[in-house]
Amino acid sequence: MKITDIAPRRHRLSQLYIDGEAAVKVDTETLLRRGIAIGDELDDEELHALLQASAKHRAEEKALYLLEHRAHSKKRAGK
């Protein structure tokens, strides 16, 4: 499978076009770290590994977001 285009999308994602057709959206940072570029050839195993790495990175980012937005207690009136 040949990557024919990479287009930016919302929420730090990129759309991969494989053999001329829109295929999958992956985390842009994962693409950059792995050095994926237009014209690269990927087999099924490499694509699967890329998708897993992207999902892991997105889960880590979501966890950090949730941790930094922790619940705050409210002071009760009259006590």
Side-chain angles (χ1 to χ4, degrees):
M1 297 180 281
K2 184 175 184 176
I3 297 177
T4 53
D5 195 13
I6 300 173
R9 294 291 179 248
R10 297 188 315 170
H11 306 291
R12 295 183 240 167
L13 295 176
S14 293
Q15 176 77 51
L16 287 185
Y17 290 82
I18 297 177
D19 298 328
E21 295 190 23
V24 294
K25 291 180 185 169
V26 295
D27 178 69
T28 303
E29 189 171 332
T30 303
L31 280 179
L32 294 172
R33 284 184 179 173
R34 294 199 168 213
I36 304 293
I38 296 171
D40 288 353
E41 291 280 342
L42 296 177
D43 61 23
D44 286 336
E45 290 179 18
E46 292 169 327
L47 181 59
H48 183 69
L50 177 64
L51 292 174
Q52 283 185 321
S54 177
K56 180 182 178 206
H57 183 261
R58 292 177 67 193
E60 290 170 348
E61 289 293 315
K62 180 68 174 185
L64 290 173
Y65 171 81
L66 292 172
L67 287 171
E68 72 182 25
H69 290 88
R70 63 182 173 82
H72 296 277
S73 62
K74 293 183 180 180
K75 182 178 179 181
R76 292 185 179 181
K79 290 202 176 193

